[in-house]
Amino acid sequence: MYYYTTLPVTFLPSLVLVKDKEKFAKALGSRIRNIREAKSVSLKEFEAIEPSVDRHQLSRIETGKKIPSTYTVYKIAKALKVGTDEFFSGLR
């Protein structure tokens, strides 16, 4: 079975086709975590920067246990000062 992201084309240059929803969630979460850690932002610090995404929610996203909404992805990207495309480019 194939899943398509529900993100608008403005956030995603092309549709991301994934064979496994779990793999997609883990890959997306891993990207978000890697970017956050590269910027030396802890979960607690992130929560202070963007209170609408608490550290428990972000942790669940980063571990692939939760797929974030489009708006949550936008808020995470804005807090980390990156474009949303950095989370999705190359995901398969």
Side-chain angles (χ1 to χ4, degrees), residues 70-88:
T70 304
Y71 185 67
T72 301
V73 169
Y74 166 75
K75 297 299 271 184
I76 293 169
K78 187 175 174 187
L80 295 175
K81 298 179 181 169
V82 297
T84 54
D85 59 314
E86 289 195 41
F87 298 146
F88 298 100

Side-chain angles (χ1 to χ4, degrees), residues 18-44:
V18 291
K19 292 181 180 179
D20 182 19
K21 194 174 183 179
E22 231 176 76
K23 283 183 182 179
F24 173 77
K26 287 181 181 184
L28 175 60
S30 179
R31 285 253 175 110
I32 291 171
R33 175 183 284 139
N34 290 339
I35 292 169
R36 180 181 57 77
E37 289 177 345
K39 293 182 172 281
S40 301
V41 177
S42 71
L43 287 170
K44 194 172 183 177

Side-chain angles (χ1 to χ4, degrees), residues 1-59:
M1 181 175 280
Y2 291 92
Y3 298 90
Y4 293 92
T5 66
T6 57
L7 296 174
V9 175
T10 56
F11 284 133
L12 200 55
S14 62
L15 280 179
V16 176
L17 180 64
V18 291
K19 292 181 180 179
D20 182 19
K21 194 174 183 179
E22 231 176 76
K23 283 183 182 179
F24 173 77
K26 287 181 181 184
L28 175 60
S30 179
R31 285 253 175 110
I32 291 171
R33 175 183 284 139
N34 290 339
I35 292 169
R36 180 181 57 77
E37 289 177 345
K39 293 182 172 281
S40 301
V41 177
S42 71
L43 287 170
K44 194 172 183 177
E45 291 168 333
F46 182 89
E47 188 176 36
I49 296 167
E50 183 49 66
S52 70
V53 181
D54 69 52
R55 64 181 176 237
H56 304 291
Q57 180 183 8
L58 185 58
S59 177

